[in-house]
Amino acid sequence: MEERRAVLMEKIQKMKKKCNAVILAHNYQIDEVQDAADHVGDSFALSRIAAQVEADVIVFCGVHFMAEGAAILAPEKTVLLPDIQAGCPLADMVTAEALREKKKMHPHAAVVTYVNSSAEVKAESDVCVTSSNAVNVVNSLDAEEVLFVPDKNLGSFVADRTAKKVILWDGYCITHHRVTLEEVHAAREAHPGTPIVVHPECTPEVVKASDHAFSTGGILKFARETDHRKLIIGTEMGLLYRLKKENPHKQFYLLSQALICPNMKYTNLEKIAASLETLQPRITVPEEIREPARLALERMLSIA
Ligand code: 13P
């Protein structure tokens, strides 16, 4: 291990003990951050851990809505986001005000909100979902009609797997939305017989042309269990680190070189150390927003 890494890792371990902190990292984080984390996972796994973990401080290495989710579920803990600039363009594609207007147009629809959204938007929702449970959650609802926000691609994925009417919001992940059908065809040609596994944030045409669509946790599980020795991966490139680490004898190819989320790359060891030292930047949610947002998240956790 290079000297910088070793020094910072040691510093982080010491400070973690001192303030009884736990480090959570999303599967898209850079290698060194994944290595420093106590838990690495997909959005659903991390929100579950945030709700249950025994710690005074959570250092959330991901993007803003993820840390906010932890602050909603665990208000008694200090939740830190090492780089406050780590946002999510998809989450910014819906505001609480715009959602309130849309709800007036569809008074009978259940509002199903992807966790990639702000606390204010979650507070306007009946239930939250992640990509690992969206189909099950929607199918478990009593309502015949759902308003799915903000990701139209994940919403279409759900619509293809439910008898309910799904009303879509015009939002999308700018990283996954970039993957093209031509790239899927080119990958098939370059690697005949190799499964193409994508994230449901990709466009419906890309999902349909691929072999499987799973959350990042689902992709990891598939990679562990399949007999295939080669896989083509259509999600943010950070996942390849864990895929290779867990499956050293298998080969993974990124479906598109455009699959990089700059927001997920802001966090590094220096920023984790600094946030543990200063207990900043701290993410909090006002109580009047937190309580209704918590209900929507807890409904998801209890159904899934
Ligand atoms: P998951 O880890 O839940 O698959 O989410 C991926 C993602 O795009 C988060 O923004």
Side-chain angles (χ1 to χ4, degrees):
M1 204 188 305
E2 58 164 304
E3 202 191 328
R4 167 192 158 269
R5 257 195 207 211
V7 170
L8 282 164
M9 285 283 193
E10 205 187 315
K11 191 172 169 189
I12 289 168
Q13 289 309 318
K14 272 192 195 144
M15 282 191 294
K16 234 177 58 178
K17 253 197 201 132
K18 199 173 137 205
C19 50
N20 190 25
V22 66
I23 300 177
L24 309 186
H26 188 265
N27 287 323
Y28 296 157
Q29 290 290 296
I30 63 171
D31 311 2
E32 64 183 30
V33 172
Q34 294 196 28
D35 288 343
D38 299 290
H39 303 277
V40 183
D42 68 8
S43 307
F44 183 62
L46 294 179
S47 51
R48 242 186 170 149
I49 293 168
Q52 293 166 358
V53 73
E54 286 200 21
D56 296 319
V57 176
I58 296 177
V59 184
F60 213 119
C61 304
V63 292
H64 190 272
F65 76 80
M66 296 180 174
E68 211 176 43
I72 291 167
L73 292 168
E76 72 291 353
K77 292 170 191 149
T78 298
V79 178
L80 306 172
L81 179 67
D83 190 324
I84 198 67
Q85 290 194 72
C88 173
L90 168 59
D92 295 340
M93 289 180 192
V94 57
T95 63
E97 202 188 334
L99 179 54
R100 278 193 290 271
E101 287 306 307
K102 188 89 169 173
K103 278 164 69 172
K104 284 184 201 156
M105 292 159 64
H106 303 282
H108 303 298
V111 180
V112 177
T113 296
Y114 193 25
V115 290
N116 300 40
S117 55
S118 68
E120 288 82 1
V121 167
K122 289 184 177 80
E124 289 290 331
S125 311
D126 293 304
V127 64
C128 288
V129 294
T130 73
S131 52
S132 67
N133 58 37
V135 174
N136 284 348
V137 170
V138 166
N139 280 328
S140 77
L141 299 174
D142 278 339
E144 284 314 306
E145 202 177 87
V146 304
L147 172 56
F148 194 97
V149 292
D151 186 353
K152 64 179 174 186
N153 291 334
L154 181 61
S156 300
F157 178 82
V158 171
D160 285 344
R161 289 158 180 80
T162 183
K164 297 183 195 297
K165 180 179 173 197
V166 180
I167 302 152
L168 302 175
W169 191 270
D170 190 19
Y172 52 89
C173 162
I174 58 171
T175 302
H176 287 90
H177 200 71
R178 275 190 216 121
V179 182
T180 64
L181 196 53
E182 289 68 40
E183 286 171 317
V184 178
H185 294 326
R188 284 240 185 264
E189 231 173 81
H191 306 278
T194 304
I196 302 180
V197 191
V198 301
H199 196 278
E201 285 180 13
C202 292
T203 64
E205 58 177 12
V206 164
V207 169
K208 282 183 188 125
S210 303
D211 298 299
H212 305 280
F214 302 124
S215 69
T216 57
I219 296 174
L220 285 159
K221 182 171 183 286
F222 180 81
R224 271 194 300 273
E225 293 173 357
T226 182
D227 290 334
H228 285 274
R229 314 292 292 169
K230 274 173 35 169
L231 291 180
I232 295 159
I233 304 297
T235 194
E236 210 280 338
M237 46 89 71
L239 189 67
L240 265 72
Y241 177 63
R242 202 171 150 195
L243 281 166
K244 287 175 185 166
K245 198 169 163 182
E246 290 182 4
N247 307 277
H249 304 301
K250 294 184 181 175
Q251 285 173 292
F252 301 95
Y253 301 93
L254 196 61
L255 176 56
S256 162
Q257 293 315 306
L259 279 165
I260 176 157
C261 168
N263 286 284
M264 282 286 180
K265 309 301 169 200
Y266 287 148
T267 310
N268 58 22
L269 296 183
E270 282 82 357
K271 289 179 193 173
I272 295 175
S275 74
L276 278 166
E277 213 155 46
T278 58
L279 295 184
Q280 294 292 337
R282 184 171 179 187
I283 305 299
T284 55
V285 179
E287 198 52 29
E288 68 278 12
I289 303 283
R290 195 190 71 80
E291 190 47 29
R294 183 188 67 80
L295 285 175
L297 274 173
E298 299 249 340
R299 244 172 240 141
M300 168 186 83
L301 293 172
S302 68
I303 296 169

